[in-house]
Amino acid sequence: MSDTKTLAPAPPRDAPAPRPPTARRSGSRRLEEITKILFVVPAGLAIVALFGYPVVKNVVMGFQDYGLKTFFTGKAPFVGLSNYVAVVSDDVFSKAVVNTALFTLGSILGQFVIGMLLALFFHQSFPLNGVLRALFLLPWLLPLIVGSAAWRAILEQDSGILNVTLQNLGVIDGPVPWLTSPSVALVSVILVNIWLGIPFNLTLLYSGLQAIPDELYEAGALDGATGWRAFWSITWPNLRAVVSVVLMLGVIYTLKVLDIILGLTQGGPANATQTIALQSYQRSFVEFKFGQGAALSNILIVISLAFAIIYLRVNRRQVDE
Amino acid sequence: MSAIVSKGQARHARGPVRTAIAIVLLALLLFPVYWMLNISLQPSGNALSGTFFPTHPSLDGYRAAIADQGGHLVISLVIASGTVVLSLLVAAPCAYALAQFRFRWISWALLAILISQMIPSIVIANALYTAYERIGLLDSIPGLIVVNSASGIPFGILIMRSFMLGVPPSIVEAARVDGAGLVRAFLSIVVPISRNSLITAGLFAFLFAWSDFIYALTLTTKGQVVPVTLGIYTYLGAHIANWSAVMATAVLASLPAIVLLVVAQRYISAGATGGAVK
């Protein structure tokens, strides 16, 4: 916005302006300032009510015995750290932490590598490039629970198409219990989550590649940098900002995934696919121990925030623009 | 010179091969979507069918899906449309203000909006459950519209702001000189110019709300307000008796995404990159 806009209503300093108009002007300017504030008030209230309040409330609830009783008595006594002690000392917690780490790491790695290869592939020109690339977005736009349902049908043990095909090809002797065996279920859930994350990675990395000027490659080619040399010395350094954004957003989104795991395994079998987010859901909405659920989701907030800080440091230039 | 020409010709010749590779990759990635469609058209009653094509296509799955889930689809539509309206009403003026007004705290507001997008939805559900219980918004369509706007509003602000940064202040100034107030100028000049970014933001608010499962699962208790995502989950929960009906519901629940992908593809690409990076 230009400076002239704010300066324009002010009367010239040296001109002897009559008093009443100035008063009216400063009055209308105040009105305008108030109108400007009113543009952001609804959004401010929404952010406070839908994010500020929940975060503060969760932090407080983490220290309260907030359970089913609370809804009848209205009382939620403060209990210090006992919610945290209860959830952390539970055997499932360490399993959930390991699973969360494996789920996040595996998903991000798979999504990123496949998304990157596809982005590089689509960065070349060929007929129908745009249309085909758009169709790749479809899995990302479907409701997650729909993706889970489709994969449930594919991974079904006895008549699911994956086992039927693998058996017909002679790759496996008997059906693999993709979602019902504790040793395989986490891998299956990760694979489905990779599938869901590919479009996001492809789209962001592709637009990052598009932003690298062609001249760099032309100059590089003169110096003999083509193929992998060009990738490592031109593409990767120029893509680094986008890559960190993609990775950080990927981590933050994956940490909070619930739909896919609930739709595929509900955390089972034998807690093989339990994660911190799922534990939080189960404490609150299955066992109605809202204090413990809040304690777990507070742990999740801290982890997400750590990654958010990294993300914001990387992304600061865009924020400040 | 000749080297460049021959390179161009080689690239031209490789084009169709790349298209073929892309189609194969696309077929692999979209197989689950195809499989969903295939199963939905198989005759119902039996277990999952292993045939690759619906050789005897039947609409029984869709009949069962509409009978069981038709109402849930309508509820999803109402919630998603309400979320679009609420999100745009709240986010559009804010986006304009953050793009064009000179507030000292703008970078703090943007920081807050970015961080808000990173709060896990289970945190919001956990806190709002108790609040909703007290103020009577549990099991209600307005309750789900409000909570779904928690995704639509911040995303909308970021998308629309990055577009509105490019609106020249001079055209708004011209309207102001002609006597239009700030609100009139916004509604009659900024909104029409920014139409594409409003469509993008609205489209995503719709998809967020339509796809929502966590809030539907946690903030409804009595089974009165059941969006279709929750309907699918309930279908999946019991041992599945009728796969073709489940997959028919999944196909119906995918329709908005498919329609939007075909009709509004350029807005989706814009949203995918704009909302995440800017």
Side-chain angles (χ1 to χ4, degrees):
Chain A
M1 191 160 98
S2 65
D3 281 2
T4 49
K5 186 186 171 181
T6 33
L7 290 178
R13 280 278 151 77
D14 46 354
R19 214 170 159 66
T22 316
R24 211 186 308 148
R25 265 188 197 158
S26 79
S28 78
R29 203 187 304 168
R30 189 166 305 143
L31 184 71
E32 175 154 329
E33 286 308 310
I34 293 172
T35 316
K36 283 186 174 181
I37 298 283
L38 286 179
F39 269 65
V40 295
V41 164
L45 288 177
I47 303 272
V48 167
L50 294 171
F51 297 102
Y53 167 78
V55 170
V56 173
K57 175 85 175 167
N58 258 271
V59 171
V60 176
M61 275 168 89
F63 297 111
Q64 283 178 304
D65 180 14
Y66 209 119
L68 209 48
K69 255 195 320 196
T70 309
F71 293 102
F72 299 107
T73 61
K75 291 195 186 86
F78 282 90
V79 290
L81 287 173
S82 70
N83 284 330
Y84 287 90
V85 173
V87 296
V88 171
S89 61
D90 192 310
D91 292 340
V92 183
F93 182 74
S94 54
K95 191 152 203 176
V97 170
V98 173
N99 285 345
T100 305
L102 289 175
F103 181 71
T104 307
L105 204 71
S107 300
I108 298 296
L109 212 66
Q111 292 169 4
F112 181 77
V113 170
I114 298 173
M116 184 64 143
L117 290 173
L118 285 172
L120 287 169
F121 179 79
F122 277 100
H123 191 49
Q124 305 165 308
S125 67
F126 53 84
L128 296 179
N129 182 314
V131 177
L132 293 170
R133 191 159 35 79
L135 288 172
F136 265 90
L137 289 178
L138 189 57
W140 181 59
L141 299 173
L142 297 181
L144 290 175
I145 202 76
V146 165
S148 304
W151 278 98
R152 277 276 290 273
I154 291 170
L155 298 173
E156 220 265 334
Q157 187 174 344
D158 294 323
S159 46
I161 189 65
L162 185 59
N163 276 342
V164 170
T165 309
L166 290 178
Q167 279 173 293
N168 286 344
L169 291 173
V171 180
I172 50 173
D173 296 330
V176 176
W178 295 107
L179 296 172
T180 48
S181 151
S183 53
V184 194
L186 187 64
V187 175
S188 306
V189 173
I190 291 172
L191 288 177
V192 173
N193 196 44
I194 289 175
W195 178 77
L196 287 161
I198 290 170
F200 173 76
N201 283 262
L202 164 62
T203 307
L204 267 111
L205 293 170
Y206 176 81
S207 69
L209 288 176
Q210 293 293 95
I212 301 174
D214 283 339
E215 292 84 57
L216 287 181
Y217 291 102
E218 284 158 20
L222 290 178
D223 294 337
T226 50
W228 279 107
R229 274 288 301 281
F231 178 81
W232 286 119
S233 52
I234 301 169
T235 312
W236 188 254
N238 281 290
L239 206 58
R240 204 145 40 182
V242 177
V243 167
S244 22
V245 168
V246 169
L247 291 180
M248 289 313 138
L249 285 180
V251 169
I252 288 163
Y253 291 153
T254 312
L255 279 173
K256 59 181 182 183
V257 161
L258 268 178
D259 313 41
I260 301 156
I261 297 178
L262 277 173
L264 288 173
T265 61
Q266 301 198 307
N271 292 321
T273 53
Q274 278 289 350
T275 61
I276 302 175
L278 194 63
Q279 272 286 293
S280 173
Y281 162 75
Q282 289 183 336
R283 295 289 168 134
S284 288
F285 294 100
V286 178
E287 299 169 26
F288 291 104
K289 293 172 183 160
F290 283 87
Q292 294 187 6
L296 280 160
S297 54
N298 289 338
I299 295 172
L300 205 60
I301 295 179
V302 171
I303 303 173
S304 297
L305 221 54
F307 283 98
I309 289 167
I310 303 172
Y311 166 77
L312 290 169
R313 288 191 73 111
V314 169
N315 207 21
R316 181 151 21 171
R317 227 168 304 142
Q318 274 106 331
V319 180
D320 283 348
E321 93 195 315
Chain B
M1 198 61 200
S2 66
I4 292 169
V5 171
S6 69
K7 207 187 210 174
Q9 282 166 343
R11 188 175 294 171
H12 197 70
R14 257 182 284 156
V17 178
R18 287 180 186 146
T19 306
I21 297 173
I23 289 171
V24 172
L25 292 172
L26 187 66
L28 279 174
L29 195 87
L30 291 191
F31 178 77
V33 180
Y34 167 72
W35 202 244
M36 183 167 87
L37 194 65
N38 176 28
I39 302 283
S40 76
L41 290 168
Q42 300 283 353
S44 58
N46 48 351
L48 272 165
S49 156
T51 52
F52 269 86
F53 302 100
T55 36
H56 303 287
S58 148
L59 289 176
D60 287 351
Y62 286 89
R63 266 179 223 117
I66 288 170
D68 292 354
Q69 310 267 7
H72 304 163
L73 285 162
V74 174
I75 288 177
S76 286
L77 195 64
V78 173
I79 292 173
S81 311
T83 305
V84 172
V85 173
L86 182 62
S87 298
L88 289 184
L89 278 179
V90 171
C94 178
Y96 178 64
L98 294 184
Q100 299 275 347
F101 299 164
R102 309 167 114 214
F103 295 126
R104 235 169 282 144
W105 37 264
I106 281 184
S107 48
W108 289 106
L110 288 172
L111 190 72
I113 292 164
L114 272 174
I115 290 182
S116 74
Q117 287 197 304
M118 296 162 190
I119 305 294
S121 46
I122 188 67
V123 171
I124 298 167
N126 208 34
L128 287 192
Y129 181 88
T130 60
Y132 270 25
E133 204 263 344
R134 213 168 310 133
I135 56 180
L137 277 178
L138 276 187
D139 299 298
S140 77
I141 289 178
L144 287 179
I145 290 176
V146 167
V147 74
N148 277 312
S149 303
S151 317
I153 291 171
F155 186 84
I157 292 175
L158 294 180
I159 287 274
M160 290 186 277
R161 174 181 174 267
S162 68
F163 183 89
M164 289 171 179
L165 282 170
V167 174
S170 55
I171 46 172
V172 179
E173 273 308 291
R176 303 292 307 281
V177 169
D178 290 345
L182 211 49
V183 178
R184 266 258 320 270
F186 172 71
L187 290 177
S188 58
I189 310 268
V190 178
V191 167
I193 292 181
S194 315
R195 199 185 59 219
N196 283 357
S197 71
L198 263 83
I199 293 174
T200 310
L203 223 140
F204 273 85
F206 186 94
L207 280 179
F208 291 152
W210 180 271
S211 309
D212 163 59
F213 166 67
I214 300 300
Y215 297 133
L217 178 68
T218 52
L219 299 178
T220 66
T221 52
K222 296 185 187 131
Q224 294 163 337
V225 179
V226 180
V228 70
T229 48
L230 196 53
I232 294 176
Y233 183 63
T234 320
Y235 253 176
L236 285 171
H239 46 273
I240 296 152
N242 188 349
W243 270 109
S244 60
V246 179
M247 288 299 118
T249 312
V251 171
L252 294 175
S254 309
L255 280 183
I258 293 167
V259 169
L260 294 177
L261 187 67
V262 173
V263 176
Q265 183 248 316
R266 69 197 171 109
Y267 300 113
I268 289 170
S269 299
T273 50
V277 186
K278 279 173 191 147

